């Protein structure tokens, strides 16, 4: 899509054009909006809030539903690669998985969450938080491992496709921003076959 979204402490989401024009304001949350994420084709927006809910919105701003289940503020939301699964991370120490229609698909328990992110093909989810550990999960919710070794909080996770070597190899690189040390971890998984 051509819209950008931002959450704020005004309990709302703003949709912006690529030229910076404020197109609309989406209201529905009752407290600060901590995180927003578009699905893969820009037709559905998810927002996570201090009000302990996740909301779904159409690109035109229509409220498509409220997802309830967290018992503390939602700090991060992230769609998988094809928009069929949404992950929401909360201070309640859970990651919840939701379908694009708002159906609860699982609860992952781990640590106090600050951020969630999917890899490019949607087979691996990461969650990071105040414990400085980064949990690795399969798309079905199976715990795959833990990255340790930092003395700070894992506040920002990012996963993506690095394009490989140009010879048909596709690789996934992850970067984890550790706020107290300003150290970046990188996990490299070569998925070439």
């Amino acid at each position: 899509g051509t819209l950008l979204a931002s959450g704020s402490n005004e309990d709302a989401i703003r949709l912006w054009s690529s030229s910076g024009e404020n197109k609309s304001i989406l209201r529905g949350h009752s407290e600060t909006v901590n995180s927003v994420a578009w699905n893969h084709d820009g037709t559905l927006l998810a927002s996570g809030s201090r009000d302990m809910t996740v909301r779904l919105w159409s690109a035109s701003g229509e409220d498509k539903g409220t997802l309830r289940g967290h018992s503390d503020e939602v700090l991060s939301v992230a769609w998988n690669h094809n928009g069929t699964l949404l992950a929401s991370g909360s201070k309640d120490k859970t990651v919840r998985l939701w379908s694009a229609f708002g159906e609860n698909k699982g609860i992952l328990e781990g640590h106090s969450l600050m951020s969630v992110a999917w890899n490019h093909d949607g087979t691996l989810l990461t969650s990071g938080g105040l414990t400085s550990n980064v949990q690795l999960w399969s798309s079905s919710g199976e715990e795959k491992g833990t990255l340790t070794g930092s003395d700070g909080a894992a506040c920002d996770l990012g996963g993506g496709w690095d394009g490989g070597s140009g010879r048909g190899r596709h690789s996934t690189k992850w970067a984890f921003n550790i706020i107290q040390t300003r150290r970046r971890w990188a996990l490299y998984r070569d998925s070439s076959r």
Side-chain angles (χ1 to χ4, degrees):
T2 58
L3 290 176
L4 304 173
S6 63
S8 72
N9 62 2
E10 64 182 359
D11 311 339
I13 299 149
R14 290 182 180 266
L15 298 182
W16 306 86
S17 71
S18 58
S19 65
E21 178 187 354
N22 186 199
K23 301 301 268 180
S24 60
I25 299 174
L26 311 181
R27 300 201 183 274
H29 285 292
S30 61
E31 294 192 45
T32 299
V33 177
N34 292 318
S35 182
V36 292
W38 288 103
N39 68 350
H40 71 295
D41 61 4
T43 58
L44 198 58
L45 177 70
S47 58
S49 172
R50 190 176 217 175
D51 66 11
M52 301 182 287
T53 66
V54 174
R55 287 185 168 266
L56 300 177
W57 310 86
S58 71
S60 65
E62 178 186 355
D63 187 342
K64 302 300 275 182
T66 302
L67 314 181
R68 300 180 193 285
H70 286 294
S71 60
D72 205 336
E73 69 181 288
V74 178
L75 294 172
S76 184
V77 292
W79 290 99
N80 70 346
H81 74 296
N82 62 6
T84 58
L85 277 179
L86 173 69
S88 59
S90 170
K91 273 189 171 179
D92 68 8
K93 300 183 180 180
T94 67
V95 174
R96 289 183 177 263
L97 298 178
W98 312 90
S99 75
F101 305 104
E103 176 186 351
N104 188 335
K105 302 301 263 178
I107 302 171
L108 316 178
E109 297 185 22
H111 48 94
S112 183
L113 274 287
M114 294 183 77
S115 185
V116 293
W118 292 93
N119 69 339
H120 175 70
D121 63 6
T123 58
L124 189 67
L125 174 68
T126 61
S127 61
L130 298 175
T131 64
S132 77
N133 294 335
V134 175
Q135 302 286 129
L136 307 174
W137 311 89
S138 72
S139 59
S140 62
E142 176 187 354
E143 189 171 349
K144 302 301 276 183
T146 304
L147 303 178
T148 60
S150 172
D151 58 359
C155 69
D156 188 25
L157 304 173
W161 177 62
D162 71 358
S165 65
R167 295 185 305 260
R169 297 181 64 203
H170 300 274
S171 304
T172 303
K173 289 186 177 179
W174 290 88
F176 308 116
N177 188 23
I178 311 302
I179 57 172
Q180 293 173 350
T181 62
R182 301 280 187 229
R183 178 174 148 196
R184 293 185 75 78
W185 289 351
L187 166 67
Y188 181 83
R189 182 181 66 111
D190 188 353
S191 60
S192 60
R193 297 194 194 268

